[in-house]
Amino acid sequence: MKKINFYFQVHSPYVLRRYRFFEIGNDHYYYDDFASENTIRELVDKSYLPANAIIADLIKNTNGKFRCGFSISGPTLEQLEQYAPEVIDSFRALADTGCVEFLAEPYAHSLSAMFNDKEFELQVKKHSAKIVELFGKKPTAFRNAELIYSDEMAEKISKLGYNTILIEGAKHILGWKSPNYVYGHPYLPKVRLLTRNFTMSNHIPFQFSDTSWSEYPLTADKFTQWIADAPAEEELFNIWLGYEAFGIIQKDYTGIFEFLKALPEQAFKRGIGFTTPSEAAKTTPIDTLTSPYPLSWSGEEKDLSPWMGNQLQEEALNKLYSVAERVNLCKEKALKRDWLTIQCTDYMRYMSFKNAWGSTFDSPYDAFTNYMNILADFLLRVDAEYPTSIENEELNELLKTINDQEKTISEQEEIIKKLRKRKTNI
């Protein structure tokens, strides 16, 4: 039976304010709260709430046969809690249906997997804990920010307990293969790779209302028929897109919400069902996929150039992650909160010369200058906590001592819990 595996990315970064050079060392607040709230409210009112309501109805009206997945970034969860808690409630209601899966990702929607393994691990654990806290569901599948992935990265992800990994179905790793299967890792037998069908996925956000498109108009009938007409052995269609496609990229008046409403009925007519990522990954892999170099879901190249493609981005990223160990030693909440926030991939993309989508800056140079001013102030704050005069070896020893202490405390707490439980049972 053919199945559609819908997954929606829910992500909106904090808006950085214009931070001037003379503010470095004097003002440690980096955000435009008014712009952040306006952005989130527009997403909530035009996209998230109406789309969630439709999905809730689809689940109810199909007796749970409609299923899908969500990945919600840490910065977005924080902003929704602050500015639109009703959206958190609506996601919690979806979680309670048992038909919606929440995926794990780096909390900061960051490039940490490329720069610092410990930071990556901390962020993944933090994000998973946040999902459990808000929705009562522990993630079992993983998708990296921007679907960034490589064979080596899969090792890090698998060690964290995630053996279902969502990746881009890039032509340069698939070759002649179809994205409509479950694949395995070349040397990690437990890992299952789900590959995005980017052609089918992109029809919804980018071509739905494009009157010049040869297949216009896109209807639920037509979309599901394409799936039905695919070779019988191709049974899994991974349709993954940003949630803002509904109501923001494709406006309400285009009929995008009616398209979403009509999909299940048209799919069921053709014998097509729905699945979540973790359910889809239970299928035996048809083959393995090898990705020796990192890939992403962006652009035609499907590489990391939108975030790491020029000297501006490299300079910013190298300076940012040069203090990762020091920040993780700090206990100051404001500093650690800013650390997570300023790692967001969007800020690096704004510095791109070819793909600065979403930027509010006049040029990549303006975005770079603003970010580096913020980073300069942030680095001063880190240096005040743990000066750069501390040698790396000394820092590593200090970090090891702290980690050992935390491990000992954790072990002692477990012993105390067991003793208290034993005392209660006596």
Side-chain angles (χ1 to χ4, degrees):
M1 179 184 183
K2 293 180 185 294
K3 290 188 176 181
I4 298 173
N5 171 24
F6 266 126
Y7 136 66
F8 305 111
Q9 174 187 279
V10 185
H11 171 63
S12 181
Y14 284 94
V15 179
L16 299 179
R17 71 179 180 88
R18 295 302 193 274
Y19 190 88
R20 309 302 180 187
F21 177 79
F22 64 81
E23 295 179 274
I24 298 172
N26 298 311
D27 191 335
H28 305 319
Y29 198 75
Y30 311 138
Y31 315 106
D32 186 334
D33 293 336
F34 181 78
S36 293
E37 183 175 4
N38 275 357
T39 300
I40 280 292
R41 282 307 328 176
E42 183 179 20
L43 285 164
V44 164
D45 296 336
K46 295 182 179 179
S47 179
Y48 298 169
L49 280 179
N52 277 6
I54 290 170
I55 288 176
D57 286 342
L58 292 177
I59 292 171
K60 179 181 178 181
N61 296 337
T62 62
N63 293 318
K65 292 180 180 178
F66 181 83
R67 311 173 76 77
C68 64
F70 287 95
S71 185
I72 313 176
S73 70
T76 307
L77 289 170
E78 290 178 358
Q79 291 179 85
L80 291 176
E81 285 185 288
Q82 182 176 2
Y83 300 123
E86 67 273 24
V87 181
I88 297 293
D89 292 338
S90 70
F91 275 118
R92 189 176 293 121
L94 290 179
D96 290 343
T97 67
C99 300
V100 169
E101 177 176 7
F102 292 91
L103 308 179
E105 65 166 276
Y107 187 90
H109 198 78
S110 68
L111 296 167
S112 55
M114 298 296 301
F115 287 89
N116 190 288
D117 290 353
K118 183 62 178 177
E119 176 64 23
F120 177 66
E121 177 185 346
L122 290 171
Q123 286 193 29
V124 173
K125 289 181 177 178
K126 182 177 178 64
H127 184 266
S128 179
K130 188 70 172 178
I131 295 298
V132 173
E133 174 195 335
L134 292 177
F135 309 123
K137 303 289 182 180
K138 183 174 175 58
T140 57
F142 182 87
R143 77 109 204 177
N144 202 6
E146 316 297 352
L147 286 187
I148 293 171
Y149 171 82
S150 70
D151 293 340
E152 181 182 358
M153 207 171 291
E155 296 181 44
K156 306 174 189 178
I157 297 167
S158 181
K159 286 179 181 177
L160 294 175
Y162 301 97
N163 288 315
T164 298
I165 305 174
L166 283 65
I167 70 172
E168 177 68 5
K171 292 179 180 178
H172 66 272
I173 66 161
L174 281 171
W176 56 269
K177 299 172 184 174
S178 166
N180 305 325
Y181 295 100
V182 175
Y183 289 95
H185 187 275
Y187 52 86
L188 298 173
K190 292 183 179 180
V191 169
R192 299 291 179 266
L193 302 177
L194 304 181
T195 53
R196 176 175 178 257
N197 186 319
F198 66 84
T199 301
M200 292 288 288
S201 298
N202 289 346
H203 287 331
I204 299 173
F206 304 125
Q207 296 164 324
F208 182 81
S209 62
D210 182 2
T211 56
S212 66
W213 182 40
S214 61
E215 296 292 343
Y216 178 85
L218 180 63
T219 63
D221 178 83
K222 185 184 294 184
F223 190 82
T224 53
Q225 189 60 48
W226 288 337
I227 294 175
D229 291 342
E233 61 273 15
E234 296 187 8
E235 295 187 340
L236 180 63
F237 290 78
N238 297 311
I239 311 299
W240 307 338
L241 55 146
Y243 208 29
E244 69 277 2
F246 300 102
I248 298 293
I249 297 177
Q250 298 297 334
K251 307 298 184 185
D252 186 6
Y253 62 76
T254 66
I256 190 66
F257 289 115
E258 283 66 32
F259 171 81
L260 178 58
K261 292 175 186 176
L263 268 173
E265 181 182 355
Q266 293 300 323
F268 297 148
K269 277 184 182 179
R270 294 164 173 81
I272 301 168
F274 294 85
T275 185
T276 63
S278 289
E279 291 170 344
K282 293 177 182 177
T283 306
T284 302
I286 192 171
D287 201 350
T288 61
L289 286 181
T290 299
S291 180
Y293 303 105
L295 61 91
S296 77
W297 72 346
S298 183
E300 293 183 6
E301 296 87 354
K302 308 294 183 185
D303 59 13
L304 305 191
S305 59
W307 310 278
M308 300 171 57
N310 62 48
Q311 291 181 334
L312 303 182
Q313 295 163 319
E314 290 177 3
E315 172 75 7
L317 285 164
N318 286 332
K319 281 191 177 297
L320 175 67
Y321 284 104
S322 69
V323 295
E325 286 78 10
R326 285 176 165 78
V327 174
N328 285 323
L329 285 172
C330 296
K331 299 300 181 184
E332 186 192 337
K333 289 183 178 179
L335 188 69
K336 294 181 82 70
R337 185 253 188 182
D338 290 338
W339 166 245
L340 286 172
T341 305
I342 64 176
Q343 289 184 59
C344 192
T345 62
D346 300 70
Y347 308 139
M348 300 304 141
R349 190 180 65 247
Y350 300 160
M351 303 175 200
S352 172
F353 293 121
K354 66 176 185 178
N355 182 10
W357 182 82
S359 177
T360 58
F361 295 95
D362 294 332
S363 72
Y365 294 105
D366 288 338
F368 173 75
T369 300
N370 196 74
Y371 186 83
M372 294 307 285
N373 285 344
I374 289 172
L375 188 55
D377 181 80
F378 180 79
L379 295 178
L380 287 176
R381 294 164 62 197
V382 175
D383 193 54
E385 292 282 329
Y386 287 97
T388 52
S389 59
I390 299 176
E391 296 294 332
N392 284 336
E393 288 185 10
E394 185 181 350
L395 185 70
N396 289 334
E397 283 300 315
L398 182 58
L399 187 60
K400 183 178 183 300
T401 300
I402 292 173
N403 288 337
D404 288 344
Q405 288 175 344
E406 289 178 348
K407 183 180 178 182
T408 301
I409 291 170
S410 179
E411 290 173 350
Q412 293 297 323
E413 286 176 346
E414 285 299 316
I415 292 172
I416 292 170
K417 285 180 183 178
K418 289 178 181 178
L419 290 172
R420 283 177 177 168
K421 186 175 181 182
R422 188 182 302 172
K423 183 179 179 181
T424 303
N425 294 332
I426 293 174

